[in-house]
Amino acid sequence: MTSFKTIRARAEKRKGGPKALDKLMPDKPDLKRLAKLGDDRILAEMTKRVFCAGFAWSVIEAKWDDFEDAFLRFKPAKLSFQPEDYWDGLLRDARIVRNGAKIMSVRDNAVFVQEIAREHGSFGKFLAKWPPSNEIGLLDLLAKRGSRLGGNTGQMLLRFVGWDGFVTSKDVVACLRDAGLDIAEEVKSKGDLAKVQAQFNAWAEETGLPYTYLSRICALSVGENRSEH
């Protein structure tokens, strides 16, 4: 396998040098901030990622204030006790995207968030304690216990709440394949995910960098060299 030093050097060359690449890195993962994140904000992000899946993100973002109002500011306890009439009403509510399966996933995920909070104090505390060396285990839990949180949706949820992990985007997978990892062009199987996890674990040990940085640098080292804004 290619060392991460080589991958980083390629990304630096493509983006104008080490300092230019550093400026493209996201904020460092903050476990204290994550642990303090309210369950309502976790549920809100779950909902946003579910509705963004297969849909124009810009449309969801433009409607988000209305989503907050329609879904009662995403208070898990409040949502889980709403009667059927409330949920039926959302199917006709023009303030949001009226996708029945995605709307009902909010109710299911409100229950999921409450269950995890009872077990660990809060969903944020649960995430803060989960090691990035086992992201695939966390993704499996989200897929099995949550609603519509499998695959890329689960990965994007973790990224947006600030958990330290990789995302198997097209460019990241291309980087891994170029480095010598034997995986499919689209990483969907548990076997391929395990290989990706093992490689990121090795690179984390090699570099001491957060997994979020490793994933980002991978993505910037290959593919179309887009300008960053």
Side-chain angles (χ1 to χ4, degrees):
M1 287 294 296
T2 302
S3 74
F4 199 78
K5 181 179 180 180
T6 300
I7 293 169
R8 179 164 191 159
R10 188 171 67 218
E12 289 174 352
K13 184 177 180 180
R14 284 163 55 88
K15 294 303 176 182
K19 291 183 179 179
L21 181 65
D22 287 344
K23 289 180 180 179
L24 299 177
M25 292 301 100
D27 293 337
K28 286 188 176 181
D30 185 340
L31 294 182
K32 290 184 178 179
R33 188 202 67 81
L34 179 57
K36 292 178 180 178
L37 195 61
D39 289 335
D40 60 318
R41 294 304 90 201
I42 295 285
L43 181 58
E45 199 59 58
M46 284 181 178
T47 303
K48 186 178 286 188
R49 294 307 122 210
V50 167
F51 274 87
C52 281
F55 205 78
W57 288 23
S58 59
V59 174
I60 304 302
E61 290 288 354
K63 286 178 168 284
W64 194 249
D65 287 344
D66 289 334
F67 269 77
E68 289 275 356
D69 291 338
F71 286 105
L72 310 178
R73 317 307 295 181
F74 295 102
K75 301 294 184 182
K78 196 170 184 179
L79 283 170
S80 61
F81 281 103
Q82 292 303 306
E84 290 296 331
D85 288 350
Y86 165 78
W87 299 99
D88 289 341
L90 288 176
L91 297 173
R92 302 184 297 274
D93 194 331
R95 294 177 297 172
I96 64 173
V97 174
R98 289 164 287 180
N99 179 301
K102 292 186 177 185
I103 287 170
M104 296 315 297
S105 76
V106 182
R107 180 170 68 176
D108 294 339
N109 284 329
V111 174
F112 171 44
V113 168
Q114 286 182 290
E115 289 174 348
I116 294 293
R118 282 195 293 268
E119 295 168 11
H120 300 274
S122 74
F123 207 101
K125 290 179 180 178
F126 162 71
L127 290 177
K129 293 176 182 177
W130 195 287
S133 58
N134 186 25
E135 179 173 346
I136 58 174
L138 181 53
L139 292 172
D140 187 56
L141 182 145
L142 291 173
K144 289 179 177 178
R145 294 185 60 177
S147 177
R148 304 180 74 88
L149 296 178
N152 185 255
T153 300
Q155 293 180 22
M156 296 310 295
L157 165 66
L158 296 176
R159 174 62 55 84
F160 276 93
V161 298
W163 191 80
D164 185 23
F166 59 79
V167 172
T168 54
S169 67
K170 181 179 178 181
D171 286 342
V172 170
V173 173
C175 170
L176 288 162
R177 284 164 56 87
D178 181 74
L181 197 63
D182 182 20
I183 53 175
E185 290 184 6
E186 290 188 48
V187 174
K188 294 182 177 180
S189 71
K190 288 186 176 181
D192 277 356
L193 276 170
K195 291 178 183 178
V196 172
Q197 181 76 72
Q199 188 54 51
F200 273 106
N201 289 352
W203 280 337
E205 185 174 352
E206 174 191 336
T207 65
L209 290 173
Y211 286 66
T212 304
Y213 279 31
L214 296 171
S215 184
R216 179 74 168 143
I217 292 169
C218 267
L220 295 173
S221 72
V222 296
E224 182 183 349
N225 197 7
R226 296 177 287 270
S227 61
E228 303 291 333
H229 301 284

